[in-house]
Amino acid sequence: MTQTQTRPAATAGDQAGALPLNSLRSLQASFVANPAYRLAQNAVTRTSLDDVALNHRVAFGTDHSFSISLDDWGVTDQKQTGRCWMFAGLNLLRFAARRSLGVKEFEFSQNYLMFWDKIERANYFFEAIVESADRDVDDRHVAFLLDQPLSDGGQWNMFINLVRKHGLVPKAFMPETDSSSNSRRMNGVLRNKLREGARRLRDMRARGARADEVQAVKEDYLATVYRILSIHLGTPPEQFAWQWRDTTGGFHRTDSLTPQEFAAKFVALPLDDYVCLVHDPRPRNAFGRTYTVEYLGNVVGGERVIYLNIEMPLMKRIAQRTLEAGEPVWFGCDVGKQMRRDMGLMDRDLYDLAPLYDTSFELDKAARLEYGETRMTHAMLFTGVDVVDDAARRWRVENSWGADAGQKGFFTMNDSWFDEYTFEIAARRDNLPPDLQAALALEPVVLPPWDPMGALAR
């Protein structure tokens, strides 16, 4: 290092930004002198923050009844996995399948789609590694790929890709396993092999290997991934015959069907008509434009993840009209904010943190997205809405955390929470006004891989 070069202040011993001891003593004295602060300390050190800060006016003033409620079934349970997007999608499809089958309770195999999602994403990852092989390994894009080469998360379009290509099977034909219900160890083994494969593929590209040689090595690694998945999750059925009794006692049996044939026969929803609508209020992301996120996907050659950014009143109106028409709504949100799991309640003001800490929390939705304070973390299903004077005031939510959470697995979302923490719904395109339907044809703006709009798939 030359004499003209300087080091960052944190490593050079520069005291200009240091925190003086006398300032710390002053902070302590100020805290101890305030009886409200001491009372808060006494409460929070002995009791959970959620209990101390719970806004009883909200918690016990919320009615859990709805003018429209579609659900008369039990909830599902994703267990210790990040498959919420998949469970929410399958819960929507089983709503249609129940009518086709004439049954009250029915589940598609979540494990079946999980298997195919993992192998497809391994291939997607390897293709991205080959495509980015000319970048340095510490390039931010490559580092992003290597940081999370495979996870349980996903998006609506990724769900549709799996159903279109691989179909569906009843849960009885590929039930849950230990690893499908608790995926951490399996995912760790898979990530190990994917990173190993990434290094080998990048080395081959650096040495100038032919495309067919690179492809052969990729296929070898995919064979290993398939073997690992089969050991953990079981082998997906290729054909099966399904028999059942309907709610009237009538007996039914199908001929032998492939999973693709089963999906086509019993899922009476026009999946090609659904589009992803998001509310992204960041100033640089205009409403009425389409967006995608680089390296967000699972099936190579499948449908791209494309969002149409719309304003919140329109998003809520589309969700309300869909429920009024008798169909649940898939949606993505930041579930960990202002939510009480045991009560099954979501409200913008559920926890009264400002008076507890004697401070204000001033980031709005756009700023929270920009500064990393919020992102899509969970997908669920709207199954009801309470409407007064043609305006929704609360929403009924089917979660996938089992029947012990909330009200037998269902949650109540007050409308204020929808505004602040809901980001996305899947809806039929004909719910949009003509100008926004036309906007769906625009080539999407490409957001970087680490953008919060891609967080649900991580």
Side-chain angles (χ1 to χ4, degrees), residues 94-103 266 268-269 325-328 428:
R94 74 167 176 157
F95 172 80
R98 287 169 66 253
R99 291 184 294 187
S100 299
L101 293 164
V103 298
F266 293 110
L269 288 178
E327 184 177 298
R428 303 191 192 205

Side-chain angles (χ1 to χ4, degrees), residues 289-292 304-307 442-446:
R289 284 301 313 267
T290 55
Y291 297 86
T292 189
R304 287 190 296 174
V305 176
I306 295 179
Y307 308 124
L442 296 172
E443 183 61 22
V445 176
V446 180

Side-chain angles (χ1 to χ4, degrees), residues 211-226:
D212 63 317
E213 295 173 326
V214 172
Q215 177 70 14
V217 170
K218 186 193 82 167
E219 290 175 358
D220 284 345
Y221 272 96
L222 289 174
T224 300
V225 169
Y226 188 97

Side-chain angles (χ1 to χ4, degrees), residues 252-322:
H252 306 267
R253 179 187 292 128
T254 69
D255 296 328
S256 183
L257 299 172
T258 66
Q260 294 84 352
E261 290 169 338
F262 184 79
K265 186 176 181 67
F266 293 110
V267 176
L269 288 178
L271 298 182
D272 290 344
D273 291 350
Y274 287 80
V275 294
C276 272
L277 308 176
V278 297
H279 178 245
D280 180 357
R282 289 176 291 180
R284 66 177 178 271
N285 292 346
F287 293 118
R289 284 301 313 267
T290 55
Y291 297 86
T292 189
V293 178
E294 190 176 9
Y295 296 135
L296 177 59
N298 57 351
V299 176
V300 175
E303 180 179 296
R304 287 190 296 174
V305 176
I306 295 179
Y307 308 124
L308 175 65
N309 195 19
I310 65 173
E311 298 189 62
M312 180 54 74
L314 177 59
M315 177 178 284
K316 290 199 288 189
R317 186 161 65 250
I318 290 173
Q320 178 183 330
R321 295 292 182 254
T322 302

Side-chain angles (χ1 to χ4, degrees), residues 222-429:
L222 289 174
T224 300
V225 169
Y226 188 97
R227 182 166 63 251
I228 292 169
L229 288 170
S230 295
I231 290 169
H232 280 271
L233 302 179
T235 305
E238 296 181 355
Q239 287 190 325
F240 59 92
W242 177 241
Q243 60 187 47
W244 72 99
R245 288 194 181 274
D246 62 30
T247 54
T248 68
F251 181 78
H252 306 267
R253 179 187 292 128
T254 69
D255 296 328
S256 183
L257 299 172
T258 66
Q260 294 84 352
E261 290 169 338
F262 184 79
K265 186 176 181 67
F266 293 110
V267 176
L269 288 178
L271 298 182
D272 290 344
D273 291 350
Y274 287 80
V275 294
C276 272
L277 308 176
V278 297
H279 178 245
D280 180 357
R282 289 176 291 180
R284 66 177 178 271
N285 292 346
F287 293 118
R289 284 301 313 267
T290 55
Y291 297 86
T292 189
V293 178
E294 190 176 9
Y295 296 135
L296 177 59
N298 57 351
V299 176
V300 175
E303 180 179 296
R304 287 190 296 174
V305 176
I306 295 179
Y307 308 124
L308 175 65
N309 195 19
I310 65 173
E311 298 189 62
M312 180 54 74
L314 177 59
M315 177 178 284
K316 290 199 288 189
R317 186 161 65 250
I318 290 173
Q320 178 183 330
R321 295 292 182 254
T322 302
L323 289 162
E324 289 172 338
E327 184 177 298
V329 179
W330 185 101
F331 73 98
C333 63
D334 187 358
V335 74
K337 302 292 196 303
Q338 297 288 342
M339 180 272 295
R340 181 85 183 203
R341 182 173 181 143
D342 58 346
M343 293 181 174
L345 182 58
M346 305 167 175
D347 186 279
R348 180 193 59 202
D349 302 316
L350 184 58
Y351 296 108
D352 214 358
L353 299 176
L356 177 67
Y357 294 117
D358 190 22
T359 189
S360 59
F361 295 88
E362 299 178 356
L363 295 179
D364 61 14
K365 191 174 185 178
R368 292 197 305 272
L369 282 167
E370 290 174 328
Y371 284 86
E373 180 56 24
T374 194
R375 58 180 182 167
M376 278 190 277
T377 60
H378 195 50
M380 296 180 283
L381 203 65
F382 287 127
T383 61
V385 62
D386 193 50
V387 178
V388 177
D389 296 330
D390 200 34
R393 62 176 180 175
R394 57 179 170 266
W395 306 78
R396 183 163 169 83
V397 175
E398 179 184 357
N399 206 338
S400 53
W401 290 347
D404 291 339
Q407 303 119 39
K408 296 184 179 179
F410 290 88
F411 282 59
T412 297
M413 176 195 297
N414 283 333
D415 195 57
S416 63
W417 199 96
F418 195 129
D419 288 327
E420 294 296 325
Y421 302 112
T422 297
F423 292 99
E424 175 185 12
I425 65 170
R428 303 191 192 205
R429 68 180 66 235

